[in-house]
Amino acid sequence: MQHWDVIVIGAGAAGLMCAAQAAYRGRSVLVVDHGKKPGRKILISGGGRCNFTNLHAEPSAYLCHNPHFVKSALKRFSAHDFVELVERHGLDFYEKTLGQLFCQDSAKDLLNILLSELQYSGAQLQMRCEILNVSATSPGFVLTTNQGALECDSLVVATGGLSMPKLGATPLGYQLAEQFGHHVYPTRAGLVPLTLHDHDKQRFDALAGVSVPVQVRSLHGPAFDESLLFTHRGLSGPVILQASNYWQPGEIIEVDLLSNLDCNQWLKAMARERAKVACKTLLYEKLPKRFVDLLVAEHPAASTAIGQLPSAQRDELANLLNHWQVKPNGTEGYRTAEVTLGGVDTNEISSKTMQSQKVSGLYFIGEVVDVTGWLGGYNFQWAWSSGWAAGQVV
């Protein structure tokens, strides 16, 4: 039976980072993965350009039942540290918006950097390696695989979540955690489009493809200012993906269609300054025409000249614009989700080393852990930070 100091299960962002770090320390390291190729989620993310980190990756941008857990890893290996790493390899990248960094050409360039680091460090990679069983021994672990038995002193679980099953997502990491006595929080799709009830689908059918810059507020989370996109199935776009992490079934989402305006004051001013102009004409100047036409169809008063609109109706229109509400009926699920919410309970993991507090030599990193970042490179940064932290000690 082949013996390794460290075996990492999962050849994604966190696993590759951890493996190279550990091997640079002189450890013999093997990365195993059941897929055909490493880093598949890296390759498809960000439209093939991979939004690989965010310059504002602060703890407040992460959902975790223990909000303090992420602080240590993010501080010790920050977005700027990862940028230094890719710059050493000559990666061309650019900042899109809101601190989001993307590869200039292709996500393949980033994956090649990670694989180069793996090669330089001396870590080995074994693909199409299916884990059939894991058992604890003294002093380490034995893995039964379709390619034979493997033995290690330290085992790192970097198996990812359940999002994007077409890329080979499995519940293996959660099963291993439970096998070794860890609590696993229930999982659900995160950073995912929201679906609508049939009556709203029909109501918004003509808006498919329309994008509106808005602010979305949910009951449990912060407000997000980005674009909302109407689809044939429901609502998408960056602002909806962000809000989906906080949305609970049955809740209403509130949308500020003109978040840069106090619409009450704006419409009052228009009533004075442009009294003969129809409300819908004013709205055409601010919002996509197809969306305004829907509002007018549902609220005929919007066809009236602003100066002729009774103050009560004007206030009603202002309230609609700043507090438009919609009630989703669900999400599109793991099929299109970018991440998985929930996972291995961080109260049972060291925030400094990612080691299990129940089983010595067992580590959990990346998405399998109960840590989920906002849209915009935050989840990749968690992969780099947690992988780096574990790599320093395994």
Side-chain angles (χ1 to χ4, degrees):
M1 189 188 311
Q2 200 168 8
H3 180 274
W4 300 83
D5 294 332
V6 183
I7 292 179
V8 179
I9 305 177
L16 293 174
M17 169 62 87
C18 176
Q21 290 297 315
Y24 278 131
R25 292 174 41 241
R27 308 283 278 159
S28 61
V29 181
L30 174 67
V31 183
V32 296
D33 193 292
H34 70 286
K36 295 178 184 177
K37 294 180 179 179
R40 285 180 294 178
K41 206 167 180 182
I42 293 170
L43 292 176
I44 65 127
S45 70
R49 289 190 174 183
C50 188
N51 177 192
F52 58 83
T53 192
N54 193 294
L55 296 174
H56 311 305
E58 297 293 329
S60 58
Y62 292 85
L63 289 82
C64 178
H65 282 83
N66 174 3
H68 301 292
F69 178 80
V70 300
K71 291 179 179 177
S72 174
L74 290 174
K75 185 175 183 180
R76 289 163 57 230
F77 190 82
S78 68
H80 298 284
D81 292 317
F82 189 74
V83 168
E84 279 184 26
L85 170 64
V86 298
E87 282 182 335
R88 285 203 304 272
H89 286 264
L91 178 73
D92 290 327
F93 62 88
Y94 65 98
E95 182 179 349
K96 191 175 180 182
T97 55
L98 305 171
Q100 303 167 12
L101 300 188
F102 286 78
C103 299
Q104 185 70 50
D105 298 317
S106 167
K108 287 180 185 176
D109 299 333
L110 179 68
L111 180 57
N112 286 337
I113 288 173
L114 297 171
L115 295 175
S116 294
E117 286 285 314
L118 204 68
Q119 185 180 6
Y120 298 158
S121 71
Q124 300 295 305
L125 180 60
Q126 198 166 315
M127 300 303 297
R128 302 186 191 222
C129 183
E130 189 178 344
I131 308 296
L132 306 175
N133 184 61
V134 177
S135 56
T137 62
S138 185
F141 304 86
V142 172
L143 285 67
T144 306
T145 80
N146 62 339
Q147 297 183 20
L150 301 166
E151 190 178 47
C152 62
D153 298 329
S154 296
L155 179 64
V156 182
V157 179
T159 48
L162 299 174
S163 54
M164 300 185 185
K166 282 186 178 178
L167 297 183
T170 77
L172 175 63
Y174 308 123
Q175 292 165 353
L176 289 174
E178 289 176 336
Q179 175 188 329
F180 288 107
H182 277 266
H183 173 245
V184 176
Y185 282 105
T187 57
R188 61 187 177 91
L191 297 182
V192 63
L194 299 175
T195 56
L196 295 172
H197 294 278
D198 286 343
H199 63 89
D200 277 336
K201 263 194 220 170
Q202 293 167 8
R203 181 181 165 207
F204 301 135
D205 187 54
L207 298 182
V210 171
S211 179
V212 191
V214 300
Q215 181 182 88
V216 165
R217 295 182 284 267
S218 55
L219 285 177
H220 308 287
F224 291 100
D225 291 271
E226 286 186 77
S227 293
L228 179 154
L229 174 69
F230 289 91
T231 73
H232 288 296
R233 291 183 295 276
L235 304 175
S236 188
V239 78
I240 291 297
L241 300 190
Q242 296 281 36
S244 73
N245 278 358
Y246 299 90
W247 179 79
Q248 300 288 336
E251 290 179 355
I252 286 170
I253 280 182
E254 188 170 280
V255 181
D256 189 339
L257 297 166
L258 295 172
S259 59
N260 59 336
L261 286 177
D262 177 329
C263 288
N264 216 310
Q265 296 300 318
W266 173 59
L267 290 177
K268 279 182 183 176
M270 292 300 99
R272 291 192 306 270
E273 298 164 20
R274 302 174 69 183
K276 295 181 180 180
V277 178
C279 295
K280 66 179 181 181
T281 303
L282 296 171
L283 295 179
Y284 285 147
E285 297 170 6
K286 304 287 185 184
L287 293 165
K289 184 177 186 300
R290 272 194 281 165
F291 185 74
V292 173
D293 289 341
L294 174 83
L295 289 182
V296 172
E298 294 184 352
H299 304 274
S303 294
T304 308
I306 184 65
Q308 295 174 7
L309 199 63
S311 59
Q313 287 187 322
R314 190 180 64 218
D315 291 347
E316 189 180 309
L317 179 59
N319 188 63
L320 174 72
L321 294 170
N322 282 142
H323 304 277
W324 188 65
Q325 293 185 338
V326 62
K327 187 176 182 180
N329 80 333
T331 77
E332 290 191 7
Y334 293 120
R335 183 181 62 83
T336 56
E338 297 203 12
V339 291
T340 305
L341 290 152
V344 182
D345 190 342
T346 57
N347 286 319
E348 301 169 350
I349 303 170
S350 164
S351 63
K352 185 176 182 184
T353 66
M354 304 295 137
Q355 183 172 209
S356 163
Q357 294 175 353
K358 292 177 173 286
V359 181
S360 180
L362 179 64
Y363 298 77
F364 295 93
I365 59 174
E367 193 181 344
V368 73
V369 176
D370 173 39
V371 172
T372 305
W374 291 351
L375 181 75
Y378 295 93
N379 289 289
F380 274 117
Q381 185 56 46
W382 172 246
W384 315 134
S385 296
S386 60
W388 182 92
Q392 306 310 303
V393 293
V394 290

